[in-house]
Amino acid sequence: MLAQWARERPDLDASPMGVIGRLWRLDRHTDRAVEAALATAGLNGWEFDVLATLRRSGAPYALSPGALMESLMITSGTMTNRLDHLERAGLVRRSPNPDDRRGLRIELTPAGFERVDRALEIHVANEHRLLAGLAPAEREQLAGLLRRLLLSFEPPA
């Protein structure tokens, strides 16, 4: 594709198309691989994201709906639908927030804790497999370059 553009439009530097095109293709490949791996643990990507956010928050593995929304960068309507689904599945429960009588907190149930821990092991092993084509130093270099590129889109945390 780049050679064709160079021939047809030698006046135009189309080299970014090579980088962006590869990123887009990698995104499609990795999305499919991650979804397939998580499915073996009985979860899809968004279910894992919610449960993993609660799990990595530390004991008591509970957050306010607002903190979850902020971390997951989703709307309140989307958050409500996801929590309803996960609560029906017995993976989370809503409980009164002991720090704010007006609010709720979302907490992992024992079943949710077990499921997300199993999924996490599968997910991490899968990500190692996905990056196996790169040496450790190359992974580190790629992570740094991607971090720097992301900073041009997202402000630092």
Side-chain angles (χ1 to χ4, degrees):
M1 175 183 72
L2 293 176
Q4 290 169 330
W5 281 124
R7 182 189 69 235
E8 294 299 315
R9 289 290 311 269
D11 60 310
L12 190 65
D13 175 12
S15 63
M17 294 174 93
V19 175
I20 301 301
R22 287 180 183 97
L23 286 171
W24 182 76
R25 287 172 48 209
L26 281 167
D27 179 59
R28 292 180 63 207
H29 288 295
T30 57
D31 276 351
R32 283 194 299 263
V34 167
E35 287 291 336
L38 291 175
T40 66
L43 295 174
N44 64 36
W46 70 258
E47 291 168 327
F48 177 77
D49 286 344
V50 174
L51 298 177
T53 301
L54 291 169
R55 175 65 174 92
R56 72 174 181 262
S57 73
Y61 311 109
L63 292 169
S64 70
L68 271 172
M69 284 179 358
E70 184 178 324
S71 178
L72 297 168
M73 297 181 286
I74 57 176
T75 66
S76 61
T78 299
M79 186 81 259
T80 298
N81 288 333
R82 290 180 179 184
L83 293 176
D84 288 347
H85 170 84
L86 292 168
E87 192 171 38
R88 281 192 304 273
L91 301 175
V92 301
R93 72 175 148 252
R94 290 173 169 102
S95 62
N97 187 334
D99 301 324
D100 179 1
R101 289 186 9 216
R102 298 168 296 153
L104 290 175
R105 71 179 191 177
I106 310 305
E107 57 189 55
L108 282 176
T109 63
F113 185 94
E114 182 181 314
R115 178 90 57 94
V116 74
D117 264 15
R118 186 176 30 153
L120 180 62
E121 291 171 11
I122 292 166
H123 180 60
V124 169
N126 183 51
E127 289 193 335
H128 278 286
R129 181 187 64 78
L130 292 171
L131 293 174
L134 299 175
E138 291 172 321
R139 291 181 192 188
E140 194 172 314
Q141 181 182 19
L142 179 60
L145 291 170
L146 292 173
R147 186 179 306 110
R148 194 164 80 201
L149 183 58
L150 274 171
L151 284 174
S152 68
F153 293 93
E154 302 171 356

